[in-house]
Amino acid sequence: MRSGFFRQSLRIGALVLGCVIALFNQAATADELTDALIRYAVHDYERAIEMLTPSADRGNAVAQMQLGLIHARGEGVPRDDVAAIDWLTRAAEQGQSEAQFELGVMNRDGSGTPIDGKRAIYWFERAAEAGAPHAFNAIDE
């Protein structure tokens, strides 16, 4: 009886510890992301890229979207549509509406990709469904 109780206590303890570690990592990640976005806002693009990349590599959709925009606009780096599409697609597939909208624009305008009206509409519709109603207006531009 004691051994079963002991095992159960260990499992619960491990679960609690895992939750605490996960919460700590999310808080650290949020602080890192905030600092990176501040660097971007003050046009310190090189530092922003350095700070955003680890979060983006861990799957943070906001960091991925921001890196996509940086590469699409050539802010602090040479313009790189391939990298822009890669980062924006990662974010868009997670439901990030601004990334979905930007992919729609890139497909509509042929920026870094051949013009693809069907693909543009696909991304604009996903962006609108994710909370970017201006995405439907972009189809007519």
Side-chain angles (χ1 to χ4, degrees):
M1 174 124 176
R2 281 189 154 170
S3 117
F5 176 77
F6 182 71
R7 283 188 201 133
Q8 183 71 13
S9 296
L10 283 177
R11 285 186 200 129
I12 292 170
L15 178 63
V16 169
L17 180 60
C19 290
V20 169
I21 290 170
L23 288 172
F24 176 77
N25 285 339
Q26 286 178 352
T29 301
D31 288 343
E32 291 169 5
L33 183 59
T34 299
D35 292 345
L37 294 174
I38 290 170
R39 299 290 9 125
Y40 175 81
V42 298
H43 306 285
D44 185 358
Y45 301 124
E46 185 176 314
R47 183 71 180 123
I49 292 166
E50 288 174 12
M51 296 171 76
L52 287 167
T53 301
S55 291
D57 286 338
R58 287 191 302 267
N60 183 289
V62 173
Q64 292 169 340
M65 183 271 308
Q66 195 62 52
L67 283 174
L69 294 177
I70 287 170
H71 287 287
R73 297 172 182 161
E75 297 173 319
V77 294
R79 184 178 169 162
D80 183 347
D81 288 331
V82 172
I85 289 171
D86 178 52
W87 285 118
L88 290 170
T89 301
R90 292 182 197 196
E93 288 174 348
Q94 293 187 67
Q96 216 293 332
S97 64
E98 188 171 348
Q100 293 167 338
F101 177 79
E102 290 299 324
L103 284 172
V105 170
M106 292 179 86
N107 280 278
R108 180 196 65 201
D109 299 345
S111 299
T113 184
I115 292 174
D116 186 340
K118 287 183 182 180
R119 192 86 177 136
I121 290 171
Y122 169 80
W123 285 117
F124 286 140
E125 286 177 346
R126 294 213 33 211
E129 290 167 2
H134 61 284
F136 281 111
N137 295 332
I139 296 170
D140 296 326
E141 291 180 9

